[in-house]
Amino acid sequence: MHRDTSSCNTYNYGDAQYWDARYVQEGGSFDWYQRYTALRPFVRKYVPTSSRVLMVGCGNAVMSEDMVKDGYEDIMNIDISSVAIDMMGRKYENTPQLKYMQMDVRNMSFFPDESVDSVIDKGTLDSLMCSTDAPINSAQMLTEVSRVLKPGGIYMLITYGDPTVRMPHLSRPVYKWKTVLYIIPRPGFVRPGSFSLTTKSYSEPVPTTEEGLLPADFVLEDPDSHFIYVCKKMDETEPSNMPIFPLTNNVF
């Protein structure tokens, strides 16, 4: 199996030293892909404000701060970079709704089984997809995410990866996830031939095939769209109806 290298470069995004050096150099704050204002309709639909939320790979993003302003009460933020965690912990030391802890998402043994209501991932799985030993790293992460989620809990993945490279991972029966897909354009996207920002509504789920893929005639309005996978952890007695989409040598 090979890595999903569609948006990868020569950096090892799975390495703590890379991120430590980057956060020391850049400082400030940066939100990958989308800001909370664009993601709010999906977060509010699937994640109650009373949820115990786990933000994986939080970096120095302000999304958690924006969620607190929107009424969220308990957000645990983790990142592999101790530099980012120290920085953010100091910044929000007087915001009791936000907690920060240095942690590798591939080993979240600090959290008991089924102890989290929702997990939000904005680019962290993507980083591991670009890392050395990507197949192992991504499986370790997703296994941990499934383990800490309560039955009925939500794993919300915001990613550049379309279903051909993400569904082989998300559809593994061991996770017990039922997945709904949304697609939104990159920030500032303007339709070709238009002088205004797109006003199309993206609040409805995208229909997919039985294999979890986009229909053959589906056209992305923005070729660089972001994909939002809302994965609900089903109860043991509740069938997931998730198609089994095995990993092959052609997709990763």
Side-chain angles (χ1 to χ4, degrees):
M1 293 180 293
H2 60 80
R3 294 182 294 167
D4 168 20
T5 57
S6 56
S7 292
C8 297
N9 53 33
T10 57
Y11 299 117
N12 184 3
Y13 287 143
D15 182 40
Q17 291 182 333
Y18 165 79
W19 291 107
D20 284 344
R22 178 165 174 165
Y23 289 125
V24 167
Q25 180 179 3
E26 295 182 355
S29 62
F30 179 78
D31 269 273
W32 289 86
Y33 304 157
Q34 302 279 343
R35 294 292 299 269
Y36 179 62
T37 50
L39 299 174
R40 183 180 185 271
F42 310 102
V43 176
R44 291 301 298 258
K45 180 174 182 176
Y46 291 101
V47 182
T49 55
S50 59
S51 298
R52 187 184 189 200
V53 179
L54 175 60
M55 185 75 68
V56 295
C58 63
N60 57 11
V62 298
M63 180 163 169
S64 294
E65 174 188 342
D66 291 340
M67 289 178 63
V68 168
K69 292 177 180 177
D70 199 27
Y72 285 87
E73 304 168 0
D74 184 1
I75 305 178
M76 170 63 80
N77 301 269
I78 67 170
D79 199 280
I80 197 171
S81 170
S82 59
V83 173
I85 292 299
D86 290 345
M87 179 192 314
M88 299 299 279
R90 290 193 300 271
K91 181 178 180 180
Y92 296 110
E93 61 182 349
N94 295 318
T95 306
Q97 300 94 327
L98 295 177
K99 304 176 184 65
Y100 287 84
M101 180 175 293
Q102 192 277 333
M103 190 180 299
D104 189 330
V105 74
R106 293 165 291 190
N107 180 5
M108 299 190 291
S109 56
F110 174 83
F111 301 112
D113 295 356
E114 300 182 353
S115 60
V116 173
D117 296 300
S118 305
V119 176
I120 298 178
D121 170 8
K122 192 151 63 80
T124 300
L125 181 63
D126 289 358
S127 294
L128 291 181
M129 291 290 191
C130 292
S131 67
T132 304
D133 296 325
I136 296 173
N137 289 332
S138 59
Q140 288 174 335
M141 172 185 168
L142 294 176
T143 298
E144 281 290 87
V145 169
S146 177
R147 180 186 66 78
V148 302
L149 270 179
K150 297 177 181 178
I154 294 294
Y155 170 47
M156 185 174 293
L157 169 65
I158 299 96
T159 170
Y160 64 74
D162 68 42
T164 62
V165 293
R166 290 296 175 265
M167 286 308 295
H169 303 278
L170 300 178
S171 67
R172 291 183 63 193
V174 67
Y175 301 144
K176 307 182 184 74
W177 289 341
K178 182 176 182 180
T179 301
V180 176
L181 174 65
Y182 297 86
I183 301 176
I184 59 176
R186 65 188 184 277
F189 169 70
V190 178
R191 287 194 184 96
S194 172
F195 296 101
S196 61
L197 298 179
T198 180
T199 57
K200 177 181 176 181
S201 173
Y202 299 93
S203 60
E204 295 300 319
V206 175
T208 56
T209 68
E210 292 183 1
E211 294 78 22
L213 302 179
L214 295 174
D217 60 351
F218 187 89
V219 177
L220 284 175
E221 187 175 52
D222 175 14
D224 297 316
S225 292
H226 294 129
F227 299 82
I228 302 174
Y229 299 86
V230 179
C231 307
K232 179 180 179 181
K233 184 176 179 179
M234 310 306 288
D235 187 90
E236 293 285 353
T237 61
E238 190 176 8
S240 69
N241 296 321
M242 167 63 74
I244 299 174
F245 187 3
L247 295 173
T248 73
N249 291 329
N250 298 319
V251 290
F252 190 84

